[in-house]
Amino acid sequence: MMFPSLFLNECRQTLKCKTYYIIIICMLIFFISQLSAFDMINKPEPNQESYGFTFSSDERLIMETALQVLIGEYNANRYVTYPIGFYKEVTLSEKKQAKMLEIIREISGLDEDELKAAYESNGINPGVSAEQAKLSIAEDISYERFMELMKQADKLLGGGSMYRKSYIKYIARVPASFNEALQAYNDIIYKERLTGAYARLFCDYLGIVLAILPVFLAVTRALRDKRGGANQVIFSKKAGSASIILSRYLSTVLMIMLPVLAIAGYLSVQFLYYGANEGIDVDVFAFFKYSLFWLLPAVMISSSVGIFLTELTQTAIAIVAMGIWWFVSMSVADLGGGYGWNLIPRHNTIGNYQVFIDNFKILVLNRIGYSLLAILLAAAAVLVYDLKRRGKLAIYGKRASNIKGKP
Amino acid sequence: MSAEIKISGLNQFYGKKQVLKDINLNIGTGMFALLGRNGAGKTTLMRVLATLLPVSRGVVTVCGIPISMEAQIRRITGYLPQEFSFYANMTVYEAMDYLGVLSGLSKADRQEKIPDLLAKVNLLTKKKVKVGALSGGMKRRLGIAQAILHEPKVLIVDEPTAGLDAEERVRFRNLLSEIAGDRIVILSTHIIADIEASCERIAVLEEGEIIYNGTVSDMLRLAEGKIYSAQIKKTDLPGIKAKYPITSMVSSGNHVSLRLISDEKPFEGACLCEAGIEDAYMYLMQDKRGAI
Amino acid sequence: MRYMERELQILKVNLKHFILPHLLLSIVLMGLSPLAIGIENLDAQRTARVLEMFTALSGIIILTPVCLPEQNSDIRELVEVKYLSYTRVILARILENLFFLMIIIGFYIIWLKLNNCSFPMLKYYLGTLAEAFFLGGLGFCAFMILGQIAVGYLLPLMYYIMAFGGGRRLLGSLYPFSMIYGSYREKFYLAVLGLVLFVVGVGYIHFYKKLRYRKRADKA
């Protein structure tokens, strides 16, 4: 029954830690700076000037717009990609250009000369929108075949192009109608009970910081034994390696989630009052549910990377590793809700419920996958600690258990 | 430049807590021991002399130089802290070289002195070993080598044999005696054996105050005629312990050989004996504090 | 010459034993960047994006850990009692690390230029350096005052994250990605503030011991 005592002790130690309070302050400052995004939505009224934009799901329109973009890039042999979110221009070799031409031919049904003529006469360029699409696609091409060809095109370009699956369905942006805007509004109020939509936005923002902040606490904790020269003393105690490491790991996760849940609670109360005033039946637990489902896996990963790499190397290298992972995740994130396998799934709008539902399955797999990975890394940290304890990990030619004092 | 450390009216505080009270000491060349319990204030005094702590109140001069002139003081003092640690990824030679640079030595000086010193402390064969891989004893020897690298006039050694095994302790004491020469060497320790071998003068610190300052022989004289040895039954031990301060005790079967402090013969069978430093120290503590 | 030799030796030890892994990390990250970031045929705005959002982070990697070797208080104590003051050692390291930072950013800028990117070289070089210097100064100062390397990396990273969401409005003259919008004024403020942070950090180490004990002794 040592584990509960160890765990509570670790939580108490965290409360004495400067790094912990700095993390909370950073979290709060970041959240407050983004509060303006939480403005309440208004019900669309008929005869408004604009209802924003939506993405057309008209397959034909998608195919036509994609073709326009592709022909423009092909002719310039300059393809825009965002492999990790940074702009990258790809220039294809002759061989690859020839393959691209094949793709274009199949989609458009035109040969090279016809394509050139159409390009020149219609002033096609990569920036043209679906509304201005002037080039028609081949009659006999199916949407499935089109998507296959887009996949090939994206592969030719090394990934991250506008033809990738997660982007192509949003390539045809069209003005939203009143009915579409009203449908989106009703989805938020009735299907999501208001708080669901805002909870997703809450997770979108906080996910940015929660994927990186916990690593600092985990590293600080893991280095404390080294700093205090306490390694040998702790190694010699009765407590098992699993108890020692898991109590630290779980306390890090819990102590980071506590302020998150506190903010969730604050927002729930705000929305409860608003809902009561506006006659909306809000889901008062939405913020908590989303926090646990969406944010907890990121906290778990960041903490486990911190604890594992620090136990292994006795340095702060975990911060660099997590920093790089964070940077890449932030850069490739699809803000519109294409979650994929990103550590930081983004959903940077209020609503877009259909996108959430369409991608819900992958999101669930994503979160479960990262949670399992986090548990695996925590288990690896236990193993590393145990090996060190038994003197089986050598540092500077000495067994780790033999290093006296502070290295 | 007078080869003397003069401490006058030194009062040292950590926050509101006073850790040194009105310390007055004159320390000349030779080995000087600062003896006292853990927490008596020895390390604080060492750190003041090493310029690690600014003086709260009082006057301290080292060889005529006020302690506030840190750069000049550091030129003539060498310090071995209680916990000696250095960059684990440097080799022994690299560590000595770097510390030599920080001590203000030229390249020529370092090249000349470092091998000699490493040989003196028996670390020459380990010069390419990383500091992180050294044993406790080796680290301590490296510590003393770096402390005297720049030939300081004053050597400050805090708890010289802390963490060393018996054999290493003997070796280290011998080494210290060897290198003392005409330096001022201040040893702070709570281990009597560290003093016995080579210290002529001693100050005893208790709760931040000096309760004795003088020669070792004078301290022994204080306890003259007060130290008795006896062999008693184990069953009698609790009663005797309650009445007399015991300075040492060795068990042997059902009997215990002990030394105790008493103004007169405590009981039949007790014999007056010559006081050792440990006896004298215990006598002093009892006399000043009323109990041990 | 003797004086110079000692300073050079400090710089040599710093490079060999302390800062080399950090320099190598920066070089590797920059070297691998073409795999993921486009560094060819970029216009001025896109070049600014790469430099401000990516290259300048090397300031955190190279400048924050100047005093990391002495994080162990026993080592710090040993170094502080030496004739050559610890403050001088830190200053030498800061200058050396800054020198290498300038080299690394410089080479990266030249590489961009050789890859047919079009941008004002000197302005972008100084702008990126200013931002890197500020980020490093923030990390260094945080590490010095709060005593933990994790915090030293945390604060500049949080500043960087804040710059993403509504950063321009929030950070104003200290907005790090201003070159993307064609503005350099912010770089001047960042450079000055970076210098202030380094001065505060070094001053803290130098005066802390004296300030703390003098204040308390007067009260006693």
Side-chain angles (χ1 to χ4, degrees), chain A residues 146-199:
Chain A
F146 166 78
M147 287 301 280
E148 261 175 46
L149 291 168
M150 287 291 98
K151 190 175 170 183
Q152 285 175 28
D154 186 54
K155 200 173 167 187
L156 277 173
L157 296 170
S161 72
M162 286 183 269
Y163 317 111
R164 67 190 189 274
K165 189 179 174 187
S166 57
Y167 188 89
I168 197 86
K169 52 188 171 175
Y170 306 119
I171 205 167
R173 208 170 80 134
V174 294
S177 66
F178 166 71
N179 286 329
E180 283 167 334
L182 186 64
Q183 178 63 45
Y185 176 82
N186 287 336
D187 282 347
I188 292 172
I189 301 295
Y190 300 111
K191 282 188 184 161
E192 305 222 68
R193 296 167 65 189
L194 187 65
T195 44
Y198 283 91

Side-chain angles (χ1 to χ4, degrees), chain A residues 395-407:
Chain A
I395 300 170
Y396 299 121
K398 282 192 86 172
R399 291 179 153 214
S401 64
N402 289 343
I403 295 207
K404 293 188 179 70
K406 303 161 203 182

Side-chain angles (χ1 to χ4, degrees), chain B residues 15 47 50-52 71 74-75 83-87 89-90 94 97-98 101-102 104 107 110 146, chain C residues 5-6 9 13 16-18 69-70 72 74-75 77-78 80-84 93 209 213 216 220:
Chain B
R47 296 176 90 224
T51 70
L52 282 169
R74 287 170 184 172
R75 243 202 164 118
E83 298 277 347
F84 174 76
S85 195
F86 211 58
Y87 310 115
N89 58 338
M90 281 191 185
E94 284 171 339
D97 191 60
Y98 188 59
V101 168
L102 296 181
K107 191 171 181 178
R110 298 193 310 269
Q146 62 82 30
Chain C
E5 187 270 321
R6 287 198 298 260
Q9 190 61 16
V13 166
K16 183 179 176 189
H17 289 284
F18 305 143
E70 289 85 33
N72 176 334
D74 294 335
I75 298 178
E77 197 171 271
L78 198 64
E80 276 183 339
V81 295
K82 293 302 177 190
Y83 171 64
L84 211 68
R93 284 186 194 163
K209 167 178 81 174
Y213 287 103
R216 294 215 167 129

Side-chain angles (χ1 to χ4, degrees), chain A residues 26-40 198 201-209 263 267 330 346 348 350, chain C residues 158-171:
Chain A
C26 289
M27 208 190 295
L28 284 172
I29 291 176
F30 182 79
F31 173 67
I32 292 167
S33 71
Q34 309 301 320
L35 261 181
S36 58
F38 283 73
D39 290 341
M40 284 300 158
Y198 283 91
L201 186 68
F202 167 71
C203 292
D204 175 74
Y205 282 123
L206 269 201
I208 294 171
V209 290
I263 300 173
L267 288 170
M330 278 295 292
R346 301 296 308 276
N348 196 242
I350 300 170
Chain C
M158 266 319 294
Y159 161 82
Y160 179 83
I161 293 174
M162 293 292 295
F164 272 102
R168 218 173 166 202
R169 174 181 45 87
L170 205 69
L171 298 170

Side-chain angles (χ1 to χ4, degrees), chain A residues 182-258:
Chain A
L182 186 64
Q183 178 63 45
Y185 176 82
N186 287 336
D187 282 347
I188 292 172
I189 301 295
Y190 300 111
K191 282 188 184 161
E192 305 222 68
R193 296 167 65 189
L194 187 65
T195 44
Y198 283 91
R200 259 200 315 282
L201 186 68
F202 167 71
C203 292
D204 175 74
Y205 282 123
L206 269 201
I208 294 171
V209 290
L210 288 177
I212 186 73
L213 288 181
V215 77
F216 294 97
L217 187 61
V219 166
T220 303
R221 178 57 191 93
L223 283 179
R224 197 183 301 149
D225 285 357
K226 177 183 165 182
R227 284 188 72 185
N231 273 322
Q232 285 199 309
V233 171
I234 297 176
F235 281 169
S236 65
K237 294 299 177 191
K238 186 180 161 192
S241 301
S243 290
I244 294 170
I245 294 295
L246 292 179
S247 59
R248 291 177 191 179
Y249 173 65
L250 291 172
S251 71
T252 302
V253 172
L254 174 70
M255 296 307 282
I256 294 281
M257 285 306 291
L258 281 179

Side-chain angles (χ1 to χ4, degrees), chain C residues 3-102:
Chain C
Y3 175 91
M4 283 300 294
E5 187 270 321
R6 287 198 298 260
E7 308 290 67
L8 280 170
Q9 190 61 16
I10 289 172
L11 299 179
K12 212 169 116 186
V13 166
N14 184 42
L15 177 62
K16 183 179 176 189
H17 289 284
F18 305 143
I19 201 60
L20 190 61
H22 302 93
L23 293 178
L24 288 175
L25 177 65
S26 284
I27 291 169
V28 164
L29 287 175
M30 303 254 204
L32 293 176
S33 62
L35 295 176
I37 294 173
I39 63 162
E40 292 172 356
N41 306 313
L42 301 177
D43 61 21
Q45 196 185 37
R46 287 178 178 134
T47 308
R49 192 152 189 261
V50 169
L51 291 171
E52 290 181 313
M53 288 188 175
F54 173 69
T55 314
L57 293 174
S58 50
I60 304 176
I61 298 173
I62 294 172
L63 293 177
T64 300
V66 164
C67 294
L68 187 60
E70 289 85 33
Q71 191 173 26
N72 176 334
S73 56
D74 294 335
I75 298 178
R76 166 100 170 249
E77 197 171 271
L78 198 64
V79 168
E80 276 183 339
V81 295
K82 293 302 177 190
Y83 171 64
L84 211 68
S85 82
Y86 183 48
T87 309
R88 253 171 69 184
V89 172
I90 295 170
L91 285 170
R93 284 186 194 163
I94 291 172
L95 289 172
E96 185 182 16
N97 291 9
L98 183 59
F99 171 74
F100 284 116
L101 180 67
M102 290 168 71

Side-chain angles (χ1 to χ4, degrees), chain A residues 54-69 107 128-137 141 143 146 150 168-175 180:
Chain A
T54 188
F55 301 109
S56 175
S57 53
D58 180 332
E59 288 171 355
R60 203 145 186 94
L61 193 57
I62 289 172
M63 290 196 279
E64 283 171 2
T65 313
L67 181 62
Q68 296 273 92
V69 173
I107 298 173
V128 78
S129 69
E131 293 166 295
Q132 299 156 308
K134 293 185 177 77
L135 200 63
S136 293
I137 54 165
I141 188 156
Y143 190 67
F146 166 78
M150 287 291 98
I168 197 86
K169 52 188 171 175
Y170 306 119
I171 205 167
R173 208 170 80 134
V174 294
E180 283 167 334

